[in-house]
């Protein structure tokens, strides 16, 4: 057995090399030579021809034996009809047995060279059919061919009408075509028998070829089948040939049920498109799962000796040839012909020989002439000389024109993919007609009567599969693939071919990439690209050119309606570019552009649903299934007793879920419909369900981004129900599928969190959640055939309780995290793992804050009660636990910023605990308790941890500033409480003062007054308040202290320092005039206190002067108060402009009046003391400066007395007067100094 595969560069001898074993050149890309083939120059007309052998089963080429003259060919040679090693496995076929072309021969080639179909090749056919077409203008014989379009490729097969009608009379098939033929074409049709001359010539040729082999005597008898075939009568031939037609649509058993189709343990995620895993099978087995043995032997395999890729001018053809080729001439390869010397070679024979040699790239023809079977002579002719032989002159350019015209005619008119077209020319007629048999067939009762339907559908399917398998280039062919598959599905009967239809629908769904919803916008999406080499089943037929007009001389006008196109005269085919196609050879077809994600996903789900229906319809145990009407909505809301208990019930659900996930790792399988694991139904349903879950996930993600949270929850529920069914059917869970589940649960957690945060729009969300499309119901019905879909009910319920929603969200994230622990998924998907932990930290923070706020609300309700309730303590514990877990989540992924925020929240929780332990406000004996101190110190610890977590301000300035502010507030609150409610029963006054001072200074340390920010005024106010409080404390100490003079001096200095700092900071603020006034008044009181301890008048005068100077400086505070009062008066007039949200609250009039009264009395007192002291010193010494001051002070004092006596003066008038007096006082002091 010596089959060979060849790749020719400059057309070397065909079959020159032989290799052991059957060899198919699988795809043919690698053997495309750069400068290959032969260009023949004939009589000045150049015709380009190139041939590449894609496959050959011929034996090594041997030289032909030149027969002696007078050899009688009527006598059989010794080796006649014997098989020898030299002949190879093909036996007599190689030697010119003109065995009839099988009706599906082009399909056999197309299956073997699937890469060429639809793209590179224009025509696939037997060489005999090509020759018959190119000889149409020269020949009177009839032409009958079936034409099919697959992409840009046309498949041509002989359609033996006589054979068909013989079969029709026996089986009843094709009766519609027989009636049509008899009605329109040949009313008196009858079977034509071949003449004795035909069989005589055939026998002579066979014997001549056997004589021409240098055979030895050790030949074996040829099997009887071949012998019968050679010597059979016409009736026997009819019978044998009749078997070559498959009965229309016999359902192959291997398609409907094939439990042994695969023994793989795990379900591959890579799309397994080819039905029955043909993709991984050797080429010879490609059809075994699609056709039964009877069909497999009926012409659906490639049984040509050689398959050749022949390029004739610009036409690319995949041709099958059985021509015998020998060695022994002047060239490495020759073709051998037997001619009757009495009959001259005619044009038809010349074209026949010339085309055979071109197709097979044979450079020389050897002709043996005989008379009545007696050999006369041999003649050798070069291939390029054949067109110039005597009596057989023909123009190669005309042949080229004929080829181009016929191809253009067919391409222009055979536009519908999947349709069977019939090219017909009656014997002796000049008219060529093209009919659409599919359309004619559909007018009959059974549209599946066309036996070409199944092979065409399979070929469409296989071409689509092949394109999908090419990962590197399939995106540009998506339009083509989609059209191929849609046409394939259109051809097939759903009830008879569920496997192919399910697989085709799954492939259609795979054309839409849904794996990365987040990155779709940035990635190169095939969905918006047009395919350059695609075509559309919706493509309308363009009007044909005038040359293709109807044949108008027909006696039956209905003839015009039935033919798709007509060539009025075969002579037209010889006119250059007469039938130049007005259609594009590669018509464009855009892949459907989906304008949004929902549209794309809906399209995918429609294909998934069709696929699921096909799978479900093929499972026979329908009676065992739970009854369910696909038109009845399946309620989406499930309640289980374990879910009613809120978070506690969730714990049980989670435990059950994780136990289930663990068992999946061991390969538990539970299908309610009784599908057999490993069957095609099982595999296909798994793929379809997984696809549906991905589509619903993408839909949910899209709805989430549109803030349609109810819709998002509905979609993620469907995604998880799909996944639950997948888990029930799966025998071995793959890591990638587990990752999908983790992503689904993460998104579900996000949705539940958003629903919790958008509770005010709950009614709209509920309405969206409960809505359901018919498509979703039907998909859910298919899912319910396999499982209850309850595995994730705990995660997808729409609760009205905030705590429950937050708990469900948290459990979703926890489940997603648990899944990542399986199969070491977290290390394989670090990004997703980090995202899950971030979300876990975030939801735990949300729940912690929720419990903390509840505790604070309870605390505010129990204003009178002193003891802390158990409910509060429980809420603290829950809140603290959540914060602690959240901090651990963030720390495990080195997220310092978020960890700091949670530590900050924990500090806030500690402060709430501290506030809860304070005594009742009414209790005047209230003291700062040890519990308060403990919790405030814990709060400080957490804030300091937060700062340590951040490290430096650069990491996140906003968080850093926030933590600093909270820390400063904690110290300030603690100091204030200790100062206001001094724990004197437990500590000495000095110790308390020391602790207050330390806490205040720490608060100042973390209070940033210099950085410009939105918080700067708050910081300045805080710092000013701290300095004021410290100054007041030291002032108080000074008043109450007796004894240690050094300590008194120190306190005096500190009080003075803090007062001055407080004044400076309050002066920077525009909205704190009362605080500024109060501090200044306290400074005056401090000066008065100092004055009481002074003995000399000079010292007292100096102190008084300082005090009055402080009074003068309060002018700034009064100006601010006056400005605010004026704004208040103006505001009612301009009601149109509402007060700005950030404007400070209005003045506290009571406080202003109180401070004003104090100010007036203190100013009056200081002025009186000043007048007294200056008057007493004037008697002793005369000083002009003091006289001016005395005079001024007297005037101001008298004005002030009169003003205070007037009780009817308004606040604004009193302030105006004070400002006037302070102005005088300032000028008086200055004037006195100048003089």
């Amino acid at each position: 057995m010596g089959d060979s595969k060849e790749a020719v560069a400059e057309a070397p001898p065909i079959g020159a090399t032989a290799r052991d074993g059957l060899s198919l050149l699988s795809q043919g890309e690698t053997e495309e030579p750069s400068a290959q083939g032969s260009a023949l120059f004939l009589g000045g007309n150049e015709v380009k021809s190139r041939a590449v052998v894609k496959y050959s089963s011929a034996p090594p080429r041997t030289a032909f034996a030149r027969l002696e003259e007078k050899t009688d060919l009527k006598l059989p040679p010794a080796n006649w009809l014997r098989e020898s090693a030299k002949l190879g496995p093909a036996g007599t076929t190689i030697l010119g047995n003109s065995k009839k072309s099988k009706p599906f021969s082009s399909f056999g080639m197309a299956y073997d060279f699937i890469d060429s179909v639809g793209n590179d090749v224009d025509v696939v056919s037997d060489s005999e059919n090509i020759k018959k077409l190119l000889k149409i203008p020269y020949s009177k014989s009839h032409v009958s061919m079936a034409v099919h379009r697959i992409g840009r490729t046309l498949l041509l097969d002989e359609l033996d009408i006589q054979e068909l009608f013989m079969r029709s009379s026996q089986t009843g098939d094709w009766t519609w075509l027989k009636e049509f033929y008899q009605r329109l074409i040949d009313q008196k049709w009858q079977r034509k028998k071949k003449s004795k001359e035909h069989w005589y010539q055939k026998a002579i040729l066979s014997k001549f070829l056997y004589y021409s082999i240098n055979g030895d005597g050790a030949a074996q008898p040829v099997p009887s089948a071949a012998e019968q075939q050679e010597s059979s009568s016409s009736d026997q031939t009819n019978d044998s040939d009749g078997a070559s037609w498959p009965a229309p649509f016999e359902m192959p058993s291997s398609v409907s049920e094939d439990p042994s189709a695969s023994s793989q343990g795990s379900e591959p995620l890579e799309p397994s498109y080819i039905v029955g895993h043909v993709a991984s099978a050797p080429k010879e087995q490609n059809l075994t799962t699609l056709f039964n043995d009877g069909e497999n032997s009926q012409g659906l395999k490639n049984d040509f000796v050689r398959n050749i890729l022949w390029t004739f001018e610009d036409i690319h053809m995949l041709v099958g040839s059985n021509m015998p080729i020998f060695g022994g001439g002047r060239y490495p390869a020759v073709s051998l012909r037997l001619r009757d010397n009495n009959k001259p070679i005619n044009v038809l024979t010349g074209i026949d020989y010339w085309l055979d040699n071109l197709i097979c790239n044979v450079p020389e023809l050897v002709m043996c002439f005989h008379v009545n079977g007696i050999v006369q002579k041999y003649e050798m002719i070069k291939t390029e000389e054949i067109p110039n032989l005597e009596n057989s002159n023909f123009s190669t350019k005309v042949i080229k024109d004929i080829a181009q015209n016929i191809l253009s005619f067919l391409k222009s008119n055979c536009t519908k993919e999947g349709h069977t077209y019939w090219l017909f020319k009656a014997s002796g007629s000049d008219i060529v007609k093209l009919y659409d048999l599919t359309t004619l067939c559909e007018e009959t009762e059974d549209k599946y009567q066309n036996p070409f339907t199944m092979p065409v559908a399979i070929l469409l399917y296989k071409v689509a599969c092949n394109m999908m398998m090419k990962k590197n280039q399939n995106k540009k062919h998506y339009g083509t693939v989609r059209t191929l598959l849609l046409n394939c599905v259109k051809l097939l009967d759903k009830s008879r071919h569920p496997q192919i239809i399910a697989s085709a629908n799954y492939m259609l769904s795979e054309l839409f990439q849904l794996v990365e919803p987040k990155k779709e916008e940035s990635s190169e999406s095939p969905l918006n690209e047009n395919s350059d080499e695609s075509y559309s089943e919706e493509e309308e037929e363009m009007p044909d050119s005038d040359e293709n007009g109807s044949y108008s001389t027909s006696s039956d006008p209905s003839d015009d309606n039935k033919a798709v196109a007509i060539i009025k005269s075969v002579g037209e085919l010889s006119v250059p570019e007469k039938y130049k196609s007005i259609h594009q050879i590669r018509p464009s077809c855009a892949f459907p552009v989906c304008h949004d994600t929902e549209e794309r996903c809906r399209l995918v789900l429609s294909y998934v649903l069709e696929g699921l229906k096909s799978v479900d319809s093929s499972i026979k145990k329908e009676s065992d299934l739970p009854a369910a009407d696909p038109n009845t909505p399946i309620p989406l809301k499930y309640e289980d007793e374990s879910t009613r208990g809120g978070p506690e019930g969730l714990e049980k659900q989670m435990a059950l879920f994780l136990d289930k996930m663990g068992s999946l790792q061991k390969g538990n399988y539970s299908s309610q419909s009784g599908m057999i694991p490993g069957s095609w139904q099982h595999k296909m349903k798994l793929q379809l369900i997984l696809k549906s879950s991905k589509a619903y996930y993408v839909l949910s993600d899209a709805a989430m981004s549109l803030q349609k949270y109810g819709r998002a929850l509905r979609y993620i529920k469907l995604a998880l129900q799909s996944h639950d069914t997948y888990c029930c059917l799966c025998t071995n869970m793959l890591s990638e599928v587990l990752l999908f589940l983790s992503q689904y649960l993460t998104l579900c957690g996000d949705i539940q969190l958003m629903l919790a945060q958008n509770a005010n729009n709950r009614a709209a969300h509920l309405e969206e959640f409960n809505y359901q499309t018919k498509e979703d119901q039907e998909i859910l019905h298919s899912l319910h055939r396999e499982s209850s879909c309850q595995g994730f009910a705990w995660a997808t319920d729409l609760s009205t309780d905030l705590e429950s929603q937050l708990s469900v969200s948290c459990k979703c994230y926890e489940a997603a995290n648990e899944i990542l622990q399986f199969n070491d998924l977290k290390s394989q998907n670090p990004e997703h793992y980090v995202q899950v932990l971030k979300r876990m930290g975030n939801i735990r923070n949300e729940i912690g804050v929720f419990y903390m706020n509840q505790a604070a609300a309870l605390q505010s309700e129990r204003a009178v009660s002193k003891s802390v309730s158990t409910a509060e303590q429980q809420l603290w514990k829950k809140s603290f636990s959540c914060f602690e877990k959240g901090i651990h989540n963030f720390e495990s992924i080195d997220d310092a910023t978020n960890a700091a925020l949670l530590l900050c929240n924990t500090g806030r929780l500690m402060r709430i605990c501290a506030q809860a332990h304070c005594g009742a406000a009414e209790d005047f004996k209230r003291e700062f308790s040890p519990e308060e101190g403990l919790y405030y110190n814990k709060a400080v610890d957490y804030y300091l941890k937060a700062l340590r977590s951040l490290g430096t301000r650069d990491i996140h300035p906003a968080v850093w500033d926030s933590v600093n502010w909270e820390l400063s507030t904690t110290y300030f609150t603690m100091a204030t409480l200790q100062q206001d409610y001094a724990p004197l029963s437990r500590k000495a006054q000095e110790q308390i003062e020391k602790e207050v001072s330390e806490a205040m200074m720490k608060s100042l340390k973390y209070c940033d007054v210099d950085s410009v920010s939105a918080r700067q005024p708050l910081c300045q106010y805080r710092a000013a308040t701290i300095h004021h409080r410290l100054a007041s404390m030291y002032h108080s100490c000074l008043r109450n202290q007796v004894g240690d003079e050094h300590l008194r001096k120190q306190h005096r200095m500190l009080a003075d320092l803090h007062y001055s700092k407080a004044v400076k900071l309050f002066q920077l603020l525009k909205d704190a005039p009362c605080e500024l006034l109060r501090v200044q008044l306290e400074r005056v009181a401090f000066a008065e206190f100092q004055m009481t301890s002074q003995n000399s008048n000079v010292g007292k005068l100096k102190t008084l002067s300082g005090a009055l100077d402080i009074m003068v400086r309060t002018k700034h505070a009064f100006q601010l108060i006056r400005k605010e009062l004026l704004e208040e008066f103006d505001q009612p007039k301009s009601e149109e402009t509402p007060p700005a949200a950030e404007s400070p609250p209005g003045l506290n009039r009571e406080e202003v009046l109180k401070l004003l009264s104090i100010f007036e009395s203190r100013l009056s007192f200081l002025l009186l003391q000043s007048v007294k002291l200056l008057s007493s010193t004037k008697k002793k010494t005369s000083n002009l400066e003091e006289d001016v001051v005395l005079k001024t002070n007297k005037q101001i004092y008298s004005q002030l007395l009169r003003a205070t006596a007037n009780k009817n003066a308004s606040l604004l008038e009193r302030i105006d007067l004070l400002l006037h007096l302070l102005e005088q006082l300032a000028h008086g002091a200055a004037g006195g100094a100048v003089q």
Side-chain angles (χ1 to χ4, degrees), residues 1198-1210:
S1198 64
Q1199 286 177 38
L1200 184 61
L1201 283 176
R1202 280 197 296 273
T1204 50
N1206 181 13
K1207 301 296 181 186
N1208 297 324
S1210 68

Side-chain angles (χ1 to χ4, degrees), residues 655-882:
L656 288 169
F657 161 71
L658 291 172
D659 182 56
K660 180 180 177 181
M661 295 311 297
S663 69
L664 279 172
Q665 301 295 299
K666 299 165 191 168
N668 287 4
Y669 172 84
S670 60
S671 164
Q672 294 178 4
S673 69
M675 273 196 303
I676 302 161
S679 65
W680 74 263
Q681 288 103 328
H682 176 241
K683 289 180 178 178
M684 186 50 66
K685 192 152 190 176
L686 274 176
Q687 299 279 26
L688 289 164
I689 288 171
L690 191 62
K691 190 71 183 178
S692 72
S693 73
K694 288 182 193 174
Y696 282 127
Y697 168 69
V698 176
L699 277 170
S700 179
D701 190 65
M704 178 80 171
S705 62
L706 294 172
Q707 299 182 350
K708 302 286 185 184
Y709 304 122
R711 189 193 306 173
L713 185 62
R714 168 163 56 90
Y715 283 138
I716 202 67
K717 177 165 191 164
L718 287 162
L720 287 167
Q721 285 176 320
S722 299
H723 206 286
D724 187 35
T725 308
Y726 185 94
C727 294
C728 290
L729 295 179
C730 192
T731 52
N732 183 16
M733 186 65 76
L734 292 173
S735 298
E736 194 175 346
V737 181
L738 284 172
L739 178 63
F740 289 152
L741 179 54
S742 180
Q743 289 168 345
Y744 299 169
L745 286 166
T746 306
L747 180 58
C748 189
D750 292 348
I751 295 164
Q752 292 281 14
L753 175 58
M754 295 315 293
L755 284 166
Q757 291 176 350
N758 290 270
N760 55 342
N761 205 14
R762 185 169 278 136
H765 295 320
L766 188 63
E767 188 180 345
E768 284 181 344
F769 176 66
N770 287 326
Y771 174 77
Q772 206 177 19
T773 66
K774 187 171 186 294
E775 196 173 64
D776 294 339
Q777 291 168 21
E778 290 182 342
I779 289 174
L780 203 52
H781 171 63
S782 181
L783 299 178
H784 274 278
R785 291 167 61 95
E786 309 303 335
S787 89
S788 62
C789 303
Q790 291 290 300
F792 299 97
W794 57 270
T796 53
D797 192 19
L798 180 53
S799 172
T800 52
D801 175 43
L802 182 62
E803 181 184 355
S804 176
Q805 282 178 321
L806 291 171
S807 298
V808 167
S809 178
C810 187
K811 293 300 173 193
C812 286
Y813 295 137
E814 286 174 11
N817 183 43
E818 287 290 340
I819 288 162
L820 290 175
Q821 311 306 318
F822 293 122
N823 297 354
D824 199 28
L825 276 173
K826 64 179 182 182
S827 60
Q828 295 165 25
N829 305 278
E831 287 182 14
H832 178 59
Y833 178 62
V834 167
Q835 285 301 316
V836 170
L837 284 180
K838 268 192 178 179
R839 283 167 161 80
M840 278 173 70
N842 178 56
I843 191 64
R844 282 167 170 165
N845 177 52
E846 292 284 340
I847 297 172
V849 169
F850 171 76
Y851 288 135
M852 181 167 70
N853 291 341
Q854 278 197 321
L858 278 179
Q859 183 183 312
S860 63
E861 286 168 12
R862 59 157 189 90
V864 184
S865 170
K866 292 182 184 179
S867 61
V868 179
S869 66
T870 313
E872 273 182 86
Q873 290 178 335
Q874 288 300 320
L875 288 168
W876 293 345
K877 284 178 184 175
K878 285 181 180 179
S879 180
F880 180 74
S881 171
C882 289

Side-chain angles (χ1 to χ4, degrees), residues 386-399:
I386 296 174
N388 302 320
L389 287 176
E390 192 179 350
N391 298 323
S392 75
N393 279 340
F394 61 90
S395 165
T396 57
K397 191 172 186 305
V398 170
I399 301 295

Side-chain angles (χ1 to χ4, degrees), residues 423-468:
L423 186 72
F424 179 78
K425 182 178 89 74
S427 183
S429 171
D430 275 355
I431 302 162
V432 183
K433 300 177 185 178
L434 185 71
Y435 297 97
D436 184 348
L437 291 187
T438 304
T439 307
L440 294 173
C441 181
E442 283 171 355
E443 294 169 6
T444 65
E445 289 180 9
D446 184 3
K447 70 171 186 173
Y448 298 110
Q449 263 213 348
N450 180 356
F452 281 103
T453 305
M454 184 67 177
V456 171
I458 297 302
L459 187 56
L460 289 167
Y461 177 81
K462 287 169 77 68
V463 172
C465 289
N466 186 59
M467 286 184 175
M468 286 289 280

Side-chain angles (χ1 to χ4, degrees), residues 928 971 974-984 986-1002 1026 1029-1042 1047-1048 1050-1052 1054 1058:
F928 184 71
Y971 277 126
M974 194 160 52
T976 306
L977 288 169
Q978 278 185 296
Q979 192 176 9
D980 295 348
Y981 305 103
L984 293 168
R986 292 184 289 113
K987 293 179 183 177
Q989 179 74 34
E990 291 79 8
Q991 189 185 352
I992 292 168
E993 286 169 4
K994 185 184 175 187
E995 286 177 5
V996 168
S997 176
E998 284 176 357
M1000 287 291 191
M1001 294 314 290
K1002 284 177 181 174
I1026 289 169
R1029 277 185 162 272
L1030 284 171
S1032 298
M1033 187 179 77
Y1034 290 128
H1035 184 179
S1036 176
C1037 291
L1038 200 60
R1039 280 178 181 279
N1040 301 328
Q1041 207 170 33
V1042 184
L1047 198 59
R1048 283 175 64 80
Q1050 190 179 5
H1051 282 166
R1052 190 181 299 115
L1054 286 168
H1058 285 297

